[in-house]
Amino acid sequence: MLQTTKGIILRTVKYGETSLIVTVFTEHHGVQAYLAQGVRKSKKNSTGLLQPSLLLELETDYKPHKNLQRLRGFHPAFIYQSIQENVVKNSIAIFCAEVLLRLLPENAPMQELFDFSFRFFQLLDHADTMLAGNYPLFFLLKTGEIMGYKLKGEYSENTPFINIEEGRFTEKETLLAPLNSDDTRQLSDLVHADETDFLLQRLSAITRNHLTDWYLEFIRMHSQHLGQIKSLSVIRTILH
């Protein structure tokens, strides 16, 4: 069945002499793997459109329950103005694409997460590079929240700690993956902040690293999908 859908490229792997296998987070069917046949020998050299984080309109030969779908055609759904040339933004975009790749199950439509992710990459493209430091943590927390890993409660005098097993702010200190008081308070503020306030928060690289590590561990504890994020070390070097 010929079908058109928007998609976010998550991973591209060479296949044979001329083809690619492309993993895509699609609007209609969630994460799908596609065979892009012959694209590496094409005179148009369209492989540049099949890089992680790019936003495309896809024409596919969709067959339910098939592990590898056929990609008939593709073109940009949004043309980046800065992400591909800007090292900071490109590194953040690759990190966010990898978060989706590691976290999402295959063949599971997630319209809310797709809409958020599609808009996020456009927002990142327009962002001031000097203010982009919070984007990876924002994407991680929001993605986790949409997928059901939302932290409960908030920091207060009565709940000054956070329990990673229960995913909530609590009155009792825990020995498992503790956060110091400042980081716990900051995490609470971020969880309850709107998009603009979150992205403009003045966070040190140390604080961002602590909160990112803690939240990744929280997701790993409650999910079977998330593995190691290889691009994490890259953004830490760039956003030091």
Side-chain angles (χ1 to χ4, degrees), residues 208-222:
R208 287 197 299 261
N209 291 347
H210 285 170
L211 298 184
T212 298
D213 285 342
W214 187 92
Y215 195 73
L216 284 172
E217 186 59 31
F218 168 63
I219 294 178
R220 288 191 187 100
M221 186 173 291
H222 297 278

Side-chain angles (χ1 to χ4, degrees), residues 172-196:
K172 295 182 180 180
E173 186 172 11
T174 177
L175 297 178
L176 185 61
L179 285 175
N180 64 43
S181 180
D182 289 340
D183 286 346
T184 304
R185 184 187 301 108
Q186 187 69 73
L187 180 59
S188 178
D189 290 343
L190 294 174
V191 167
H192 294 93
D194 62 25
E195 178 181 291
T196 301

